[in-house]
Amino acid sequence: MLINHPLLGLRDAQEFVYKGDASLLQRPQCESDNALDAFTNYAYLRSNPAGLHQELWYHEQGDRSWLVVTRNTLTHEIVNVELASEVDA
Amino acid sequence: MDYSIFRVVKEALRNHKGWGPAWRNPQPKPSYDILIVGGGGHGLATAFYLASRYGLRNIGVLEKGWLGGGNVGRNTTIVRSNYMLPGNEPFYELSMKLWEGLEQELNYNAMVSQRGVLNLCHSDAQRDAFRRRGNAMLLQGADAELLNTDGVRELYPYLNFDDARFPILGGLLQRRGGTVRHDAVAWGYARAADRLGVDLIQNCEVLDFRIENGVVSGVETSRGFIGATKVGVAVAGSSSRLMSKVGIDLPIESHVLQAFVSEGLKPLIPGVITFGAGHFYISQSDKGGLVFGGDIDGYNSYASRGNLPVVEDVCEGAMGLMPMLGRARLLRSWGGIMDMSMDGSPFIDRTAIPGLFFNGGWCYGGFKATPASGLCFAHLLATGSSHEVAAQMRLDRFVRGAMIDEKGQGAQPNLH
């Protein structure tokens, strides 16, 4: 797979580390009343869709940026790539 | 009719005209007491044990394709019980014992071959870890032997012992482990369940669950509604997709695992060998092909096919362990979808919806678990409480902090 890095262009997916669902960017508030449930869901539950999936890829062997990649899990087609720093968490 | 040597001789004298289909192909009834979703190894085993051990009748198994057409026919056929943690090892050891009596119980030749599973170690620390795991196995009634280099050399003299980076220092051997003909497991359970009156309904995809007053009342399928008092879901690989129909998010990511087979060769590898430095394992089928595999691809996938970097990685593992494999030609490779759970261990549990039960999250270790998974799931469906060896395989173990994490990797499914 090639990932179209917003700054560096097409890069081999082997340069990246996969970190899973991009919902991990939305960290719950630790002060909230339901913090235990919220953190359990955040850390352990996944929607795991068959189809378009937003996920985190870390460019470890590159510029060390975090990307949010929108990829089809049925075909491995990548439809969108953004810098995680520019995605509204 | 039972299969036996006498039957084979008799049929041979009659030009083999007396063999019939191994199971019926019934129309679905309007309703069942228990419906199993998924006609793979685990679903068929569940149905068989419900009928044989718990005496239940009026059971249906729904399969979207054909029986045994999913992961039970796509794995690398290894069976073993070399786990360490108390939440796992008794379960897998029960499975091992059930494998040992499987063919007699099912009256079906599943080609159970206890040819030994050897895990190699390449550092002092890894040998210490194997010693600890071996002791844990012995404490749970399994067998384990720690081999030194000479012991490994006696079994497999052609391995790459003096590799500069990963020398082979020994290995943990489970002699009772081995391989089983995977398709025959599905067929054997199917035939035995059918003979006890279980309806095996193929080409019947479950599209949704019907929930009435908060309780499950049946399933919507591609062949219409089928009612049921209890529904057991055993569809590893599609677990998240199916459970999302009733709004249940699971602690599972779906990943693709590839497997490979070489051209047929003369007998070369008598047992199962796993390389401890990379992730690589290999055995030889009775037909002569070398069957091997390695890591999952590492990203969410439902594609049933992998990418080339993992092919390269697996072949590097092969060359690192057995350089002579470079002369063998690869015949086929394929992929299967795994339920990768958050701690690398499975689930056999009830759900928040009364009457709906879940079996899944097998990561890439589901095949060896088939008999115990079926027995424990049947126990749960029949009695309403967990079987003692599967008591920790609960969906709520994360919120309770009671993970069963053999590798200690944490909630990172692609590392398990």
Side-chain angles (χ1 to χ4, degrees):
Chain A
M1 288 194 299
L2 294 173
I3 294 176
N4 192 8
H5 193 298
L7 305 175
L8 304 174
L10 288 173
R11 307 300 306 182
D12 192 326
Q14 290 302 102
E15 296 175 6
F16 294 79
V17 174
Y18 180 77
K19 282 294 185 181
D21 197 314
S23 65
L24 289 169
L25 290 172
Q26 291 147 24
R27 193 179 167 83
Q29 296 291 326
C30 60
E31 302 89 357
S32 65
D33 293 337
N34 64 344
L36 178 63
D37 282 343
F39 269 97
T40 305
N41 294 350
Y42 169 80
Y44 297 112
L45 297 188
R46 300 286 184 269
S47 56
N48 193 21
L52 289 182
H53 183 226
Q54 284 202 309
E55 54 204 21
L56 292 169
W57 290 75
Y58 173 56
H59 199 189
E60 188 179 40
Q61 293 174 50
D63 69 346
R64 311 277 176 94
S65 57
W66 286 87
L67 304 183
V68 174
V69 175
T70 308
R71 193 175 56 92
N72 189 330
T73 57
L74 289 164
T75 62
H76 297 166
E77 181 194 13
I78 293 173
V79 297
N80 192 33
V81 184
E82 299 166 277
L83 287 171
S85 54
E86 292 176 2
V87 174
D88 285 333
Chain B
M1 198 183 293
D2 276 350
Y3 292 156
S4 67
I5 183 69
F6 306 108
R7 181 85 195 284
V8 172
V9 170
K10 191 174 158 196
E11 292 298 336
L13 298 172
R14 299 195 311 181
N15 290 322
H16 293 284
K17 286 182 180 152
W19 301 109
W23 53 80
R24 300 166 295 133
N25 195 14
Q27 290 297 313
K29 286 195 263 180
S31 77
Y32 291 90
D33 291 342
I34 297 180
L35 265 181
I36 308 294
V37 184
H42 291 221
L44 293 167
T46 305
F48 168 71
Y49 290 117
L50 276 170
S52 67
R53 301 267 176 118
Y54 296 92
L56 297 178
R57 295 293 180 266
N58 201 19
I59 301 162
V61 178
L62 307 180
E63 164 58 42
K64 71 176 174 184
W66 64 94
L67 295 179
N71 285 342
V72 72
R74 306 173 80 83
N75 58 73
T76 45
T77 76
I78 297 166
V79 300
R80 55 188 172 84
S81 63
N82 53 2
Y83 286 72
M84 185 174 74
L85 297 178
N88 269 338
E89 179 58 15
F91 174 86
Y92 288 102
E93 179 52 25
L94 172 65
S95 207
M96 198 69 237
K97 291 196 170 74
L98 289 168
W99 283 121
E100 288 172 332
L102 185 82
E103 292 164 314
Q104 287 69 36
E105 191 166 6
L106 299 183
N107 178 234
Y108 201 90
N109 179 10
M111 294 164 70
V112 176
S113 166
Q114 293 182 288
R115 53 181 74 182
V117 174
L118 176 66
N119 299 168
L120 297 173
C121 62
H122 308 271
S123 68
D124 291 342
Q126 200 171 19
R127 184 168 45 208
D128 289 347
F130 278 3
R131 181 174 312 225
R132 181 183 175 209
R133 174 140 56 107
N135 282 332
M137 290 161 65
L138 292 174
L139 284 172
Q140 299 293 348
D143 66 308
E145 264 173 71
L146 196 64
L147 301 184
N148 59 15
T149 312
D150 290 339
V152 176
R153 212 181 278 275
E154 209 167 287
L155 287 173
Y156 302 106
Y158 44 70
L159 298 179
N160 190 11
F161 283 90
D162 303 318
D163 185 82
R165 179 68 184 85
F166 300 116
I168 294 170
L169 300 185
L172 185 64
L173 176 66
Q174 185 178 28
R175 291 191 192 270
R176 287 163 64 241
T179 60
V180 182
R181 170 80 201 280
H182 51 0
D183 298 311
V185 174
W187 300 333
Y189 274 120
R191 174 171 168 274
D194 179 84
R195 278 161 39 115
L196 292 170
V198 174
D199 278 1
L200 309 176
I201 300 154
Q202 305 180 65
N203 297 310
C204 182
E205 181 173 5
V206 171
L207 305 169
D208 204 348
F209 301 96
R210 188 179 287 183
I211 312 292
E212 283 171 7
N213 302 320
V215 179
V216 82
S217 66
V219 293
E220 307 285 352
T221 77
S222 55
R223 293 169 69 171
F225 173 77
I226 304 174
T229 318
K230 291 177 184 173
V231 177
V233 176
V235 296
S238 301
S239 297
S240 296
R241 264 198 281 194
L242 194 54
M243 299 309 280
S244 70
K245 306 284 186 195
V246 282
I248 294 177
D249 274 349
L250 294 168
I252 286 172
E253 285 181 4
S254 297
H255 286 258
V256 58
L257 175 69
Q258 302 189 62
F260 308 85
V261 63
S262 79
E263 60 189 332
L265 300 169
K266 287 183 178 177
L268 172 69
I269 303 176
V272 179
I273 313 172
T274 75
F275 184 39
H279 194 161
F280 175 78
Y281 52 92
I282 187 164
S283 64
Q284 187 168 22
S285 76
D286 292 349
K287 213 159 60 176
L290 303 179
V291 184
F292 55 99
D295 267 323
I296 53 176
D297 274 39
Y299 41 80
N300 287 37
S301 173
Y302 284 95
S304 289
R305 60 169 180 78
N307 277 320
L308 290 172
V310 167
V311 179
E312 188 177 12
D313 183 63
V314 169
C315 291
E316 282 170 358
M319 292 298 289
L321 178 68
M322 286 175 65
M324 66 168 153
L325 288 182
R327 305 292 292 276
R329 278 168 292 193
L330 191 66
L331 190 65
R332 283 182 288 130
S333 75
W334 64 95
I337 303 304
M338 311 290 123
D339 278 6
M340 295 303 296
S341 70
M342 289 290 157
D343 59 358
S345 294
F347 308 99
I348 300 176
D349 201 1
R350 59 187 69 236
T351 67
I353 298 167
L356 183 60
F357 297 81
F358 177 72
N359 174 325
W362 292 97
C363 299
Y364 37 78
F367 179 67
K368 75 176 85 69
T370 304
S373 167
L375 183 62
C376 293
F377 202 33
H379 185 94
L380 178 65
L381 283 161
T383 68
S385 60
S386 292
H387 191 285
E388 58 177 354
V389 300
Q392 295 189 34
M393 295 175 175
R394 307 290 300 275
L395 283 161
D396 67 352
R397 62 177 181 255
F398 299 103
V399 71
R400 291 184 288 113
M403 290 70 126
I404 315 171
D405 194 340
E406 290 274 342
K407 286 194 191 168
Q409 298 279 27
Q412 189 68 39
N414 60 353
L415 299 181
H416 286 293

